[in-house]
Amino acid sequence: MDAGLDEAAGKRARGLDRAFEILDFLRQKRQALKPNEIAAQIGAPRSSVYELVNLLLRNGILEFTGGEGRVYLGRKLYFLGAAYENHFDFTRECEAALERLADETRETAQFCMLDGNKYTVVRMREGARPFRISTDIGQSVPIPWTASGRLLVAHMTNEEILAFIPQQDFQLPSGEWLDPAAFLTEVRDTERDGHFTFNSIVDSFTHCFAVPVMGDAGHAAATLCLVAPRDDGLANRDRYLDCLKDAARRLSHAPLQSRRA
């Protein structure tokens, strides 16, 4: 009897894992897909994916969109996210910090975190400039491509970092490869300095700044960033770093419940 219950519980747990995998996959793809396309791309049995997709559709977690049976994230997820934000003060503090940074510097301000072994922008406030500098919120980006990435892994040993970051993520958008040893040196320099700045690897016209937002464990739980036109960023480097570090200190000393948000 106990063995049967354990088997049923294990099956439910595997089903939940697969459901979250489907949701996360659609989030990363950012497009509606047919269930058989999802199954093929995540390497799951089609029968299981169809069953879970139907369950998620019935509960409003997924919705049909785009025709031909394609599905995408449902509006119920928005309401769940809104309830989460309403419960925690940290999101409001974060928005206020980004607004101050954008006002003080006129540059695009971002709040960034790790999403698994990738980097993602969680919140953003665009600067007061005639041209737009921004990143898609929630898009997963290889850690070595980013200024923040060096701060977010600085608490790890070199061996842990190389095991954590997929080898292919050291290939840059240009097709060139970043030497992992050079990356590790930058991580250690960043750990010592408490910030990292560089000319963006992703484009040829911006300069990026990142400072840590410290968590309860004593290392960077997130980062605050500025993305500026390259010439302006270099000319205002010290002032921008001072603004970032002041904002990060305020967030790092937010109440414990808020930081856990």
Side-chain angles (χ1 to χ4, degrees), residues 35-240:
N36 64 319
E37 294 172 329
I38 297 172
Q41 293 188 53
I42 68 174
R46 282 198 295 179
S47 58
S48 297
V49 170
Y50 272 98
E51 181 180 356
L52 288 168
V53 165
N54 286 330
L55 176 63
L56 295 169
L57 285 167
R58 288 198 300 273
N59 286 277
I61 304 299
L62 292 180
E63 293 179 357
F64 286 115
T65 182
E68 299 183 348
R70 293 183 179 88
V71 298
Y72 194 59
L73 304 177
R75 70 192 67 189
K76 193 166 188 178
L77 291 172
Y78 170 81
F79 295 120
L80 291 171
Y84 174 86
E85 289 197 353
N86 186 60
H87 183 67
F88 291 106
D89 291 334
F90 183 79
T91 53
R92 288 187 286 275
E93 293 181 16
C94 181
E95 290 287 357
L98 294 177
E99 186 171 356
R100 280 196 306 271
L101 280 170
D103 288 344
E104 291 170 354
T105 65
R106 300 181 68 247
E107 311 296 359
T108 295
Q110 300 174 338
F111 179 80
C112 309
M113 301 181 75
L114 290 181
D115 177 19
N117 61 3
K118 296 291 190 292
Y119 152 98
T120 190
V121 176
V122 180
R123 289 283 188 278
M124 181 176 65
R125 182 59 60 96
E126 290 186 12
R129 288 191 172 275
F131 57 94
R132 183 172 181 265
I133 297 177
S134 63
T135 301
D136 290 336
I137 293 175
Q139 181 177 4
S140 296
V141 177
I143 290 170
W145 296 11
T146 69
S148 290
R150 289 148 176 83
L151 288 159
L152 292 169
V153 299
H155 63 286
M156 301 180 185
T157 67
N158 289 353
E159 292 75 17
E160 288 171 338
I161 292 171
L162 294 179
F164 181 65
I165 299 175
Q167 185 177 2
Q168 64 269 22
D169 284 5
F170 286 99
Q171 186 173 24
L172 306 178
S174 64
E176 298 179 2
W177 287 85
L178 174 63
D179 181 6
F183 176 78
L184 292 175
T185 297
E186 291 177 341
V187 169
R188 296 305 159 217
D189 290 344
T190 297
E191 185 179 23
R192 179 197 65 221
D193 298 337
H195 64 261
F196 188 76
T197 76
F198 73 162
N199 290 329
S200 174
I201 288 174
V202 177
D203 62 57
S204 60
F205 60 88
T206 61
H207 193 80
C208 304
F209 301 77
V211 302
V213 175
M214 304 305 289
D216 297 332
H219 58 73
T223 61
L224 283 176
C225 313
L226 286 175
V227 184
R230 185 167 294 184
D231 290 344
D232 290 340
L234 293 171
N236 293 282
R237 182 178 185 277
D238 291 343
R239 183 170 73 87
Y240 286 2

Side-chain angles (χ1 to χ4, degrees), residues 25-45:
F25 176 73
L26 287 171
R27 179 183 67 87
Q28 293 183 31
K29 297 297 288 186
R30 294 184 170 246
Q31 66 181 97
L33 294 169
K34 299 176 183 177
N36 64 319
E37 294 172 329
I38 297 172
Q41 293 188 53
I42 68 174

